PDB file of all heavy atoms in Angstrom:
ATOM      1  N   LYS V1454       5.017   4.430   8.799  1.00  0.00           N
ATOM      2  CA  LYS V1454       5.853   3.391   8.200  1.00  0.00           C
ATOM      3  C   LYS V1454       5.274   2.696   6.971  1.00  0.00           C
ATOM      4  O   LYS V1454       6.032   2.176   6.147  1.00  0.00           O
ATOM      5  CB  LYS V1454       6.194   2.332   9.243  1.00  0.00           C
ATOM      6  CG  LYS V1454       5.003   1.604   9.847  1.00  0.00           C
ATOM      7  CD  LYS V1454       5.425   0.746  11.028  1.00  0.00           C
ATOM      8  CE  LYS V1454       4.225   0.103  11.715  1.00  0.00           C
ATOM      9  NZ  LYS V1454       4.594  -0.669  12.899  1.00  0.00           N
ATOM     10  N   LEU V1455       3.945   2.679   6.816  1.00  0.00           N
ATOM     11  CA  LEU V1455       3.379   1.843   5.771  1.00  0.00           C
ATOM     12  C   LEU V1455       3.680   2.354   4.363  1.00  0.00           C
ATOM     13  O   LEU V1455       4.149   1.592   3.501  1.00  0.00           O
ATOM     14  CB  LEU V1455       1.865   1.706   5.974  1.00  0.00           C
ATOM     15  CG  LEU V1455       1.153   0.678   5.102  1.00  0.00           C
ATOM     16  CD1 LEU V1455       1.843  -0.675   5.159  1.00  0.00           C
ATOM     17  CD2 LEU V1455      -0.302   0.550   5.517  1.00  0.00           C
ATOM     18  N   MET V1456       3.443   3.631   4.107  1.00  0.00           N
ATOM     19  CA  MET V1456       3.702   4.154   2.761  1.00  0.00           C
ATOM     20  C   MET V1456       5.184   4.092   2.405  1.00  0.00           C
ATOM     21  O   MET V1456       5.534   3.711   1.273  1.00  0.00           O
ATOM     22  CB  MET V1456       3.162   5.585   2.631  1.00  0.00           C
ATOM     23  CG  MET V1456       3.092   6.067   1.186  1.00  0.00           C
ATOM     24  SD  MET V1456       1.969   5.035   0.196  1.00  0.00           S
ATOM     25  CE  MET V1456       2.691   5.251  -1.437  1.00  0.00           C
ATOM     26  N   PRO V1457       6.106   4.443   3.321  1.00  0.00           N
ATOM     27  CA  PRO V1457       7.536   4.267   3.002  1.00  0.00           C
ATOM     28  C   PRO V1457       7.902   2.821   2.689  1.00  0.00           C
ATOM     29  O   PRO V1457       8.757   2.563   1.822  1.00  0.00           O
ATOM     30  CB  PRO V1457       8.245   4.762   4.264  1.00  0.00           C
ATOM     31  CG  PRO V1457       7.308   5.759   4.848  1.00  0.00           C
ATOM     32  CD  PRO V1457       5.935   5.206   4.580  1.00  0.00           C
ATOM     33  N   LEU V1458       7.271   1.860   3.368  1.00  0.00           N
ATOM     34  CA  LEU V1458       7.524   0.447   3.071  1.00  0.00           C
ATOM     35  C   LEU V1458       7.094   0.110   1.643  1.00  0.00           C
ATOM     36  O   LEU V1458       7.811  -0.585   0.910  1.00  0.00           O
ATOM     37  CB  LEU V1458       6.763  -0.445   4.050  1.00  0.00           C
ATOM     38  CG  LEU V1458       7.351  -0.671   5.438  1.00  0.00           C
ATOM     39  CD1 LEU V1458       6.428  -1.606   6.228  1.00  0.00           C
ATOM     40  CD2 LEU V1458       8.747  -1.253   5.370  1.00  0.00           C
ATOM     41  N   ILE V1459       5.923   0.600   1.256  1.00  0.00           N
ATOM     42  CA  ILE V1459       5.421   0.337  -0.094  1.00  0.00           C
ATOM     43  C   ILE V1459       6.335   0.957  -1.139  1.00  0.00           C
ATOM     44  O   ILE V1459       6.703   0.317  -2.137  1.00  0.00           O
ATOM     45  CB  ILE V1459       3.985   0.881  -0.245  1.00  0.00           C
ATOM     46  CG1 ILE V1459       3.030   0.109   0.671  1.00  0.00           C
ATOM     47  CG2 ILE V1459       3.518   0.793  -1.693  1.00  0.00           C
ATOM     48  CD1 ILE V1459       1.647   0.720   0.780  1.00  0.00           C
ATOM     49  N   GLU V1460       6.736   2.206  -0.905  1.00  0.00           N
ATOM     50  CA  GLU V1460       7.613   2.891  -1.855  1.00  0.00           C
ATOM     51  C   GLU V1460       8.944   2.169  -1.993  1.00  0.00           C
ATOM     52  O   GLU V1460       9.476   2.012  -3.111  1.00  0.00           O
ATOM     53  CB  GLU V1460       7.830   4.342  -1.410  1.00  0.00           C
ATOM     54  CG  GLU V1460       6.570   5.196  -1.508  1.00  0.00           C
ATOM     55  CD  GLU V1460       6.748   6.561  -0.878  1.00  0.00           C
ATOM     56  OE1 GLU V1460       7.718   6.741  -0.086  1.00  0.00           O
ATOM     57  OE2 GLU V1460       5.923   7.455  -1.152  1.00  0.00           O
ATOM     58  N   GLU V1461       9.505   1.718  -0.868  1.00  0.00           N
ATOM     59  CA  GLU V1461      10.785   1.018  -0.903  1.00  0.00           C
ATOM     60  C   GLU V1461      10.660  -0.337  -1.600  1.00  0.00           C
ATOM     61  O   GLU V1461      11.549  -0.756  -2.354  1.00  0.00           O
ATOM     62  CB  GLU V1461      11.322   0.832   0.515  1.00  0.00           C
ATOM     63  CG  GLU V1461      12.709   0.221   0.604  1.00  0.00           C
ATOM     64  CD  GLU V1461      13.792   1.077  -0.045  1.00  0.00           C
ATOM     65  OE1 GLU V1461      13.594   2.303  -0.163  1.00  0.00           O
ATOM     66  OE2 GLU V1461      14.829   0.521  -0.437  1.00  0.00           O
ATOM     67  N   LEU V1462       9.551  -1.037  -1.354  1.00  0.00           N
ATOM     68  CA  LEU V1462       9.346  -2.334  -1.996  1.00  0.00           C
ATOM     69  C   LEU V1462       9.248  -2.187  -3.509  1.00  0.00           C
ATOM     70  O   LEU V1462       9.890  -2.950  -4.260  1.00  0.00           O
ATOM     71  CB  LEU V1462       8.073  -2.989  -1.445  1.00  0.00           C
ATOM     72  CG  LEU V1462       7.691  -4.338  -2.055  1.00  0.00           C
ATOM     73  CD1 LEU V1462       8.781  -5.377  -1.813  1.00  0.00           C
ATOM     74  CD2 LEU V1462       6.356  -4.832  -1.504  1.00  0.00           C
ATOM     75  N   LEU V1463       8.459  -1.224  -3.970  1.00  0.00           N
ATOM     76  CA  LEU V1463       8.333  -1.007  -5.408  1.00  0.00           C
ATOM     77  C   LEU V1463       9.670  -0.615  -6.023  1.00  0.00           C
ATOM     78  O   LEU V1463      10.029  -1.068  -7.126  1.00  0.00           O
ATOM     79  CB  LEU V1463       7.284   0.071  -5.691  1.00  0.00           C
ATOM     80  CG  LEU V1463       5.838  -0.271  -5.314  1.00  0.00           C
ATOM     81  CD1 LEU V1463       4.919   0.905  -5.596  1.00  0.00           C
ATOM     82  CD2 LEU V1463       5.352  -1.506  -6.063  1.00  0.00           C
ATOM     83  N   LYS V1464      10.431   0.204  -5.292  1.00  0.00           N
ATOM     84  CA  LYS V1464      11.755   0.608  -5.776  1.00  0.00           C
ATOM     85  C   LYS V1464      12.675  -0.595  -5.911  1.00  0.00           C
ATOM     86  O   LYS V1464      13.374  -0.749  -6.931  1.00  0.00           O
ATOM     87  CB  LYS V1464      12.361   1.637  -4.812  1.00  0.00           C
ATOM     88  CG  LYS V1464      13.765   2.091  -5.191  1.00  0.00           C
ATOM     89  CD  LYS V1464      14.300   3.080  -4.166  1.00  0.00           C
ATOM     90  CE  LYS V1464      15.740   3.473  -4.469  1.00  0.00           C
ATOM     91  NZ  LYS V1464      16.281   4.401  -3.435  1.00  0.00           N
ATOM     92  N   GLU V1465      12.716  -1.448  -4.888  1.00  0.00           N
ATOM     93  CA  GLU V1465      13.597  -2.621  -4.920  1.00  0.00           C
ATOM     94  C   GLU V1465      13.211  -3.588  -6.038  1.00  0.00           C
ATOM     95  O   GLU V1465      14.071  -4.248  -6.630  1.00  0.00           O
ATOM     96  CB  GLU V1465      13.550  -3.352  -3.571  1.00  0.00           C
ATOM     97  CG  GLU V1465      14.227  -2.612  -2.435  1.00  0.00           C
ATOM     98  CD  GLU V1465      15.731  -2.500  -2.636  1.00  0.00           C
ATOM     99  OE1 GLU V1465      16.339  -3.442  -3.213  1.00  0.00           O
ATOM    100  OE2 GLU V1465      16.298  -1.476  -2.241  1.00  0.00           O
ATOM    101  N   LEU V1466      11.924  -3.682  -6.326  1.00  0.00           N
ATOM    102  CA  LEU V1466      11.459  -4.581  -7.386  1.00  0.00           C
ATOM    103  C   LEU V1466      11.487  -3.929  -8.763  1.00  0.00           C
ATOM    104  O   LEU V1466      11.166  -4.591  -9.764  1.00  0.00           O
ATOM    105  CB  LEU V1466      10.028  -5.046  -7.077  1.00  0.00           C
ATOM    106  CG  LEU V1466       9.858  -5.932  -5.835  1.00  0.00           C
ATOM    107  CD1 LEU V1466       8.371  -6.211  -5.584  1.00  0.00           C
ATOM    108  CD2 LEU V1466      10.625  -7.244  -5.983  1.00  0.00           C
ATOM    109  N   GLU V1467      11.847  -2.648  -8.793  1.00  0.00           N
ATOM    110  CA  GLU V1467      11.883  -1.876 -10.045  1.00  0.00           C
ATOM    111  C   GLU V1467      10.508  -1.902 -10.725  1.00  0.00           C
ATOM    112  O   GLU V1467      10.381  -2.125 -11.930  1.00  0.00           O
ATOM    113  CB  GLU V1467      12.970  -2.399 -10.981  1.00  0.00           C
ATOM    114  CG  GLU V1467      14.375  -2.282 -10.380  1.00  0.00           C
ATOM    115  CD  GLU V1467      15.462  -2.797 -11.315  1.00  0.00           C
ATOM    116  OE1 GLU V1467      15.140  -3.615 -12.209  1.00  0.00           O
ATOM    117  OE2 GLU V1467      16.616  -2.379 -11.158  1.00  0.00           O
ATOM    118  N   ILE V1468       9.484  -1.668  -9.893  1.00  0.00           N
ATOM    119  CA  ILE V1468       8.102  -1.660 -10.359  1.00  0.00           C
ATOM    120  C   ILE V1468       7.491  -0.304 -10.038  1.00  0.00           C
ATOM    121  O   ILE V1468       7.695   0.238  -8.952  1.00  0.00           O
ATOM    122  CB  ILE V1468       7.291  -2.788  -9.676  1.00  0.00           C
ATOM    123  CG1 ILE V1468       7.755  -4.156 -10.187  1.00  0.00           C
ATOM    124  CG2 ILE V1468       5.793  -2.615  -9.908  1.00  0.00           C
ATOM    125  CD1 ILE V1468       7.111  -5.309  -9.457  1.00  0.00           C
ATOM    126  N   LYS V1469       6.716   0.239 -10.977  1.00  0.00           N
ATOM    127  CA  LYS V1469       5.979   1.473 -10.752  1.00  0.00           C
ATOM    128  C   LYS V1469       4.516   1.141 -10.492  1.00  0.00           C
ATOM    129  O   LYS V1469       4.039   0.059 -10.834  1.00  0.00           O
ATOM    130  CB  LYS V1469       6.105   2.389 -11.968  1.00  0.00           C
ATOM    131  CG  LYS V1469       7.538   2.826 -12.264  1.00  0.00           C
ATOM    132  CD  LYS V1469       7.588   3.704 -13.501  1.00  0.00           C
ATOM    133  CE  LYS V1469       9.028   4.127 -13.800  1.00  0.00           C
ATOM    134  NZ  LYS V1469       9.121   4.960 -15.027  1.00  0.00           N
ATOM    135  N   ILE V1470       3.818   2.080  -9.899  1.00  0.00           N
ATOM    136  CA  ILE V1470       2.406   1.843  -9.613  1.00  0.00           C
ATOM    137  C   ILE V1470       1.645   1.565 -10.909  1.00  0.00           C
ATOM    138  O   ILE V1470       0.653   0.824 -10.922  1.00  0.00           O
ATOM    139  CB  ILE V1470       1.786   3.039  -8.837  1.00  0.00           C
ATOM    140  CG1 ILE V1470       0.405   2.652  -8.277  1.00  0.00           C
ATOM    141  CG2 ILE V1470       1.716   4.269  -9.723  1.00  0.00           C
ATOM    142  CD1 ILE V1470       0.409   1.539  -7.280  1.00  0.00           C
ATOM    143  N   GLN V1471       2.135   2.116 -12.035  1.00  0.00           N
ATOM    144  CA  GLN V1471       1.482   1.875 -13.321  1.00  0.00           C
ATOM    145  C   GLN V1471       1.612   0.416 -13.772  1.00  0.00           C
ATOM    146  O   GLN V1471       0.864  -0.039 -14.648  1.00  0.00           O
ATOM    147  CB  GLN V1471       2.079   2.796 -14.401  1.00  0.00           C
ATOM    148  CG  GLN V1471       1.767   4.267 -14.214  1.00  0.00           C
ATOM    149  CD  GLN V1471       2.726   4.959 -13.260  1.00  0.00           C
ATOM    150  OE1 GLN V1471       3.587   4.322 -12.657  1.00  0.00           O
ATOM    151  NE2 GLN V1471       2.585   6.277 -13.147  1.00  0.00           N
ATOM    152  N   ASP V1472       2.563  -0.309 -13.178  1.00  0.00           N
ATOM    153  CA  ASP V1472       2.744  -1.723 -13.526  1.00  0.00           C
ATOM    154  C   ASP V1472       1.811  -2.642 -12.744  1.00  0.00           C
ATOM    155  O   ASP V1472       1.689  -3.824 -13.061  1.00  0.00           O
ATOM    156  CB  ASP V1472       4.192  -2.155 -13.254  1.00  0.00           C
ATOM    157  CG  ASP V1472       5.208  -1.346 -14.051  1.00  0.00           C
ATOM    158  OD1 ASP V1472       4.931  -1.080 -15.243  1.00  0.00           O
ATOM    159  OD2 ASP V1472       6.257  -0.985 -13.488  1.00  0.00           O
ATOM    160  N   ILE V1473       1.190  -2.101 -11.698  1.00  0.00           N
ATOM    161  CA  ILE V1473       0.302  -2.887 -10.846  1.00  0.00           C
ATOM    162  C   ILE V1473      -1.077  -3.004 -11.502  1.00  0.00           C
ATOM    163  O   ILE V1473      -1.576  -2.052 -12.117  1.00  0.00           O
ATOM    164  CB  ILE V1473       0.168  -2.241  -9.450  1.00  0.00           C
ATOM    165  CG1 ILE V1473       1.542  -2.185  -8.759  1.00  0.00           C
ATOM    166  CG2 ILE V1473      -0.832  -2.993  -8.591  1.00  0.00           C
ATOM    167  CD1 ILE V1473       2.157  -3.531  -8.465  1.00  0.00           C
ATOM    168  N   ASP V1474      -1.692  -4.176 -11.375  1.00  0.00           N
ATOM    169  CA  ASP V1474      -3.013  -4.413 -11.956  1.00  0.00           C
ATOM    170  C   ASP V1474      -4.140  -4.362 -10.926  1.00  0.00           C
ATOM    171  O   ASP V1474      -5.272  -3.994 -11.257  1.00  0.00           O
ATOM    172  CB  ASP V1474      -3.049  -5.786 -12.642  1.00  0.00           C
ATOM    173  CG  ASP V1474      -2.055  -5.883 -13.782  1.00  0.00           C
ATOM    174  OD1 ASP V1474      -2.200  -5.127 -14.760  1.00  0.00           O
ATOM    175  OD2 ASP V1474      -1.127  -6.708 -13.682  1.00  0.00           O
ATOM    176  N   VAL V1475      -3.839  -4.747  -9.686  1.00  0.00           N
ATOM    177  CA  VAL V1475      -4.859  -4.829  -8.643  1.00  0.00           C
ATOM    178  C   VAL V1475      -4.249  -4.457  -7.296  1.00  0.00           C
ATOM    179  O   VAL V1475      -3.100  -4.815  -7.019  1.00  0.00           O
ATOM    180  CB  VAL V1475      -5.452  -6.262  -8.542  1.00  0.00           C
ATOM    181  CG1 VAL V1475      -6.501  -6.336  -7.430  1.00  0.00           C
ATOM    182  CG2 VAL V1475      -6.052  -6.710  -9.851  1.00  0.00           C
ATOM    183  N   ILE V1476      -5.017  -3.750  -6.479  1.00  0.00           N
ATOM    184  CA  ILE V1476      -4.640  -3.487  -5.093  1.00  0.00           C
ATOM    185  C   ILE V1476      -5.457  -4.419  -4.196  1.00  0.00           C
ATOM    186  O   ILE V1476      -6.685  -4.434  -4.260  1.00  0.00           O
ATOM    187  CB  ILE V1476      -4.938  -2.033  -4.673  1.00  0.00           C
ATOM    188  CG1 ILE V1476      -4.243  -1.026  -5.592  1.00  0.00           C
ATOM    189  CG2 ILE V1476      -4.541  -1.812  -3.208  1.00  0.00           C
ATOM    190  CD1 ILE V1476      -2.758  -0.935  -5.418  1.00  0.00           C
ATOM    191  N   ALA V1477      -4.772  -5.218  -3.393  1.00  0.00           N
ATOM    192  CA  ALA V1477      -5.455  -6.075  -2.411  1.00  0.00           C
ATOM    193  C   ALA V1477      -5.248  -5.476  -1.028  1.00  0.00           C
ATOM    194  O   ALA V1477      -4.131  -5.100  -0.671  1.00  0.00           O
ATOM    195  CB  ALA V1477      -4.901  -7.498  -2.457  1.00  0.00           C
ATOM    196  N   VAL V1478      -6.309  -5.390  -0.252  1.00  0.00           N
ATOM    197  CA  VAL V1478      -6.204  -4.758   1.063  1.00  0.00           C
ATOM    198  C   VAL V1478      -7.103  -5.473   2.064  1.00  0.00           C
ATOM    199  O   VAL V1478      -8.197  -5.936   1.731  1.00  0.00           O
ATOM    200  CB  VAL V1478      -6.571  -3.255   0.973  1.00  0.00           C
ATOM    201  CG1 VAL V1478      -7.990  -3.058   0.482  1.00  0.00           C
ATOM    202  CG2 VAL V1478      -6.340  -2.539   2.293  1.00  0.00           C
ATOM    203  N   SER V1479      -6.624  -5.584   3.278  1.00  0.00           N
ATOM    204  CA  SER V1479      -7.412  -6.148   4.371  1.00  0.00           C
ATOM    205  C   SER V1479      -8.482  -5.137   4.766  1.00  0.00           C
ATOM    206  O   SER V1479      -8.177  -4.000   5.120  1.00  0.00           O
ATOM    207  CB  SER V1479      -6.499  -6.466   5.557  1.00  0.00           C
ATOM    208  OG  SER V1479      -7.204  -7.072   6.602  1.00  0.00           O
ATOM    209  N   GLU V1480      -9.758  -5.549   4.700  1.00  0.00           N
ATOM    210  CA  GLU V1480     -10.848  -4.597   4.910  1.00  0.00           C
ATOM    211  C   GLU V1480     -11.282  -4.491   6.365  1.00  0.00           C
ATOM    212  O   GLU V1480     -12.049  -3.613   6.731  1.00  0.00           O
ATOM    213  CB  GLU V1480     -12.055  -4.993   4.062  1.00  0.00           C
ATOM    214  CG  GLU V1480     -12.768  -6.248   4.526  1.00  0.00           C
ATOM    215  CD  GLU V1480     -14.064  -6.516   3.767  1.00  0.00           C
ATOM    216  OE1 GLU V1480     -14.333  -5.797   2.791  1.00  0.00           O
ATOM    217  OE2 GLU V1480     -14.797  -7.427   4.162  1.00  0.00           O
ATOM    218  N   GLY V1481     -10.819  -5.397   7.242  1.00  0.00           N
ATOM    219  CA  GLY V1481     -11.241  -5.409   8.629  1.00  0.00           C
ATOM    220  C   GLY V1481     -11.971  -6.695   8.944  1.00  0.00           C
ATOM    221  O   GLY V1481     -12.252  -7.498   8.044  1.00  0.00           O
ATOM    222  N   PRO V1482     -12.230  -6.902  10.229  1.00  0.00           N
ATOM    223  CA  PRO V1482     -12.035  -6.002  11.367  1.00  0.00           C
ATOM    224  C   PRO V1482     -10.570  -5.919  11.788  1.00  0.00           C
ATOM    225  O   PRO V1482      -9.711  -6.588  11.221  1.00  0.00           O
ATOM    226  CB  PRO V1482     -12.877  -6.667  12.459  1.00  0.00           C
ATOM    227  CG  PRO V1482     -12.748  -8.129  12.147  1.00  0.00           C
ATOM    228  CD  PRO V1482     -12.766  -8.214  10.652  1.00  0.00           C
ATOM    229  N   GLY V1483     -10.332  -5.103  12.811  1.00  0.00           N
ATOM    230  CA  GLY V1483      -8.991  -4.924  13.327  1.00  0.00           C
ATOM    231  C   GLY V1483      -8.854  -3.560  13.976  1.00  0.00           C
ATOM    232  O   GLY V1483      -9.837  -2.956  14.414  1.00  0.00           O
ATOM    233  N   SER V1484      -7.632  -3.078  14.023  1.00  0.00           N
ATOM    234  CA  SER V1484      -7.349  -1.767  14.590  1.00  0.00           C
ATOM    235  C   SER V1484      -8.060  -0.679  13.790  1.00  0.00           C
ATOM    236  O   SER V1484      -7.907  -0.600  12.563  1.00  0.00           O
ATOM    237  CB  SER V1484      -5.837  -1.522  14.574  1.00  0.00           C
ATOM    238  OG  SER V1484      -5.526  -0.153  14.656  1.00  0.00           O
ATOM    239  N   TYR V1485      -8.833   0.160  14.461  1.00  0.00           N
ATOM    240  CA  TYR V1485      -9.549   1.218  13.763  1.00  0.00           C
ATOM    241  C   TYR V1485      -8.596   2.146  13.025  1.00  0.00           C
ATOM    242  O   TYR V1485      -8.790   2.477  11.857  1.00  0.00           O
ATOM    243  CB  TYR V1485     -10.420   2.005  14.746  1.00  0.00           C
ATOM    244  CG  TYR V1485     -11.601   1.234  15.252  1.00  0.00           C
ATOM    245  CD1 TYR V1485     -11.509   0.465  16.397  1.00  0.00           C
ATOM    246  CD2 TYR V1485     -12.813   1.243  14.567  1.00  0.00           C
ATOM    247  CE1 TYR V1485     -12.587  -0.274  16.858  1.00  0.00           C
ATOM    248  CE2 TYR V1485     -13.902   0.509  15.015  1.00  0.00           C
ATOM    249  CZ  TYR V1485     -13.776  -0.246  16.158  1.00  0.00           C
ATOM    250  OH  TYR V1485     -14.842  -0.992  16.601  1.00  0.00           O
ATOM    251  N   THR V1486      -7.549   2.577  13.735  1.00  0.00           N
ATOM    252  CA  THR V1486      -6.584   3.485  13.116  1.00  0.00           C
ATOM    253  C   THR V1486      -5.864   2.797  11.970  1.00  0.00           C
ATOM    254  O   THR V1486      -5.708   3.369  10.881  1.00  0.00           O
ATOM    255  CB  THR V1486      -5.566   3.967  14.160  1.00  0.00           C
ATOM    256  OG1 THR V1486      -6.256   4.632  15.217  1.00  0.00           O
ATOM    257  CG2 THR V1486      -4.568   4.929  13.540  1.00  0.00           C
ATOM    258  N   GLY V1487      -5.406   1.570  12.202  1.00  0.00           N
ATOM    259  CA  GLY V1487      -4.694   0.844  11.163  1.00  0.00           C
ATOM    260  C   GLY V1487      -5.537   0.636   9.923  1.00  0.00           C
ATOM    261  O   GLY V1487      -5.064   0.826   8.790  1.00  0.00           O
ATOM    262  N   LEU V1488      -6.791   0.249  10.099  1.00  0.00           N
ATOM    263  CA  LEU V1488      -7.671   0.027   8.953  1.00  0.00           C
ATOM    264  C   LEU V1488      -7.912   1.314   8.174  1.00  0.00           C
ATOM    265  O   LEU V1488      -7.940   1.307   6.937  1.00  0.00           O
ATOM    266  CB  LEU V1488      -9.001  -0.556   9.422  1.00  0.00           C
ATOM    267  CG  LEU V1488      -8.965  -2.005   9.918  1.00  0.00           C
ATOM    268  CD1 LEU V1488     -10.306  -2.387  10.529  1.00  0.00           C
ATOM    269  CD2 LEU V1488      -8.598  -2.961   8.792  1.00  0.00           C
ATOM    270  N   ARG V1489      -8.090   2.415   8.892  1.00  0.00           N
ATOM    271  CA  ARG V1489      -8.317   3.693   8.207  1.00  0.00           C
ATOM    272  C   ARG V1489      -7.095   4.093   7.383  1.00  0.00           C
ATOM    273  O   ARG V1489      -7.220   4.578   6.254  1.00  0.00           O
ATOM    274  CB  ARG V1489      -8.655   4.780   9.230  1.00  0.00           C
ATOM    275  CG  ARG V1489     -10.034   4.626   9.876  1.00  0.00           C
ATOM    276  CD  ARG V1489     -10.377   5.838  10.732  1.00  0.00           C
ATOM    277  NE  ARG V1489     -11.656   5.679  11.414  1.00  0.00           N
ATOM    278  CZ  ARG V1489     -11.809   5.477  12.706  1.00  0.00           C
ATOM    279  NH1 ARG V1489     -10.735   5.399  13.478  1.00  0.00           N
ATOM    280  NH2 ARG V1489     -13.003   5.348  13.240  1.00  0.00           N
ATOM    281  N   ILE V1490      -5.922   3.889   7.943  1.00  0.00           N
ATOM    282  CA  ILE V1490      -4.694   4.247   7.225  1.00  0.00           C
ATOM    283  C   ILE V1490      -4.512   3.349   6.001  1.00  0.00           C
ATOM    284  O   ILE V1490      -4.209   3.823   4.900  1.00  0.00           O
ATOM    285  CB  ILE V1490      -3.471   4.152   8.158  1.00  0.00           C
ATOM    286  CG1 ILE V1490      -3.555   5.238   9.230  1.00  0.00           C
ATOM    287  CG2 ILE V1490      -2.165   4.278   7.376  1.00  0.00           C
ATOM    288  CD1 ILE V1490      -2.559   5.081  10.355  1.00  0.00           C
ATOM    289  N   GLY V1491      -4.703   2.046   6.191  1.00  0.00           N
ATOM    290  CA  GLY V1491      -4.576   1.126   5.062  1.00  0.00           C
ATOM    291  C   GLY V1491      -5.571   1.437   3.963  1.00  0.00           C
ATOM    292  O   GLY V1491      -5.238   1.393   2.768  1.00  0.00           O
ATOM    293  N   ALA V1492      -6.804   1.759   4.355  1.00  0.00           N
ATOM    294  CA  ALA V1492      -7.831   2.096   3.372  1.00  0.00           C
ATOM    295  C   ALA V1492      -7.478   3.369   2.617  1.00  0.00           C
ATOM    296  O   ALA V1492      -7.642   3.447   1.387  1.00  0.00           O
ATOM    297  CB  ALA V1492      -9.185   2.256   4.063  1.00  0.00           C
ATOM    298  N   ALA V1493      -6.985   4.378   3.336  1.00  0.00           N
ATOM    299  CA  ALA V1493      -6.623   5.646   2.696  1.00  0.00           C
ATOM    300  C   ALA V1493      -5.505   5.444   1.679  1.00  0.00           C
ATOM    301  O   ALA V1493      -5.545   5.997   0.570  1.00  0.00           O
ATOM    302  CB  ALA V1493      -6.202   6.664   3.752  1.00  0.00           C
ATOM    303  N   ILE V1494      -4.505   4.643   2.041  1.00  0.00           N
ATOM    304  CA  ILE V1494      -3.390   4.382   1.126  1.00  0.00           C
ATOM    305  C   ILE V1494      -3.861   3.575  -0.077  1.00  0.00           C
ATOM    306  O   ILE V1494      -3.530   3.892  -1.229  1.00  0.00           O
ATOM    307  CB  ILE V1494      -2.249   3.654   1.862  1.00  0.00           C
ATOM    308  CG1 ILE V1494      -1.611   4.590   2.893  1.00  0.00           C
ATOM    309  CG2 ILE V1494      -1.186   3.165   0.871  1.00  0.00           C
ATOM    310  CD1 ILE V1494      -0.575   3.917   3.781  1.00  0.00           C
ATOM    311  N   ALA V1495      -4.638   2.522   0.174  1.00  0.00           N
ATOM    312  CA  ALA V1495      -5.128   1.691  -0.930  1.00  0.00           C
ATOM    313  C   ALA V1495      -5.977   2.508  -1.901  1.00  0.00           C
ATOM    314  O   ALA V1495      -5.825   2.396  -3.129  1.00  0.00           O
ATOM    315  CB  ALA V1495      -5.941   0.520  -0.368  1.00  0.00           C
ATOM    316  N   LYS V1496      -6.853   3.356  -1.368  1.00  0.00           N
ATOM    317  CA  LYS V1496      -7.721   4.156  -2.220  1.00  0.00           C
ATOM    318  C   LYS V1496      -6.926   5.183  -3.016  1.00  0.00           C
ATOM    319  O   LYS V1496      -7.184   5.384  -4.216  1.00  0.00           O
ATOM    320  CB  LYS V1496      -8.796   4.851  -1.374  1.00  0.00           C
ATOM    321  CG  LYS V1496      -9.862   3.891  -0.845  1.00  0.00           C
ATOM    322  CD  LYS V1496     -10.710   4.518   0.238  1.00  0.00           C
ATOM    323  CE  LYS V1496     -11.685   5.539  -0.292  1.00  0.00           C
ATOM    324  NZ  LYS V1496     -12.862   4.882  -0.940  1.00  0.00           N
ATOM    325  N   SER V1497      -5.939   5.821  -2.370  1.00  0.00           N
ATOM    326  CA  SER V1497      -5.161   6.838  -3.081  1.00  0.00           C
ATOM    327  C   SER V1497      -4.333   6.216  -4.208  1.00  0.00           C
ATOM    328  O   SER V1497      -4.248   6.772  -5.312  1.00  0.00           O
ATOM    329  CB  SER V1497      -4.249   7.593  -2.108  1.00  0.00           C
ATOM    330  OG  SER V1497      -3.286   6.734  -1.537  1.00  0.00           O
TER     331      SER V1497
END
């Protein structure tokens, strides 16, 4: 669900990833799986 949410949000705001200046991400602690997924998406 996370990447589709991001794609839909950017679409609704008419913003492309090239318009973004900074990625903010929760680094942990928390769910191991959730943190790994969030980190992978943020890094990509």
Side-chain angles (χ1 to χ4, degrees):
K1454 61 189 175 183
L1455 190 51
M1456 194 62 207
L1458 280 181
I1459 295 170
E1460 292 172 343
E1461 185 63 24
L1462 178 61
L1463 294 178
K1464 178 181 176 182
E1465 289 294 326
L1466 294 175
E1467 298 180 337
I1468 290 174
K1469 298 179 181 179
I1470 192 63
Q1471 292 84 355
D1472 301 319
I1473 299 296
D1474 298 297
V1475 179
I1476 303 288
V1478 60
S1479 183
E1480 70 173 7
S1484 159
Y1485 289 90
T1486 301
L1488 289 172
R1489 289 188 183 108
I1490 292 169
I1494 292 174
K1496 288 166 73 77
S1497 64

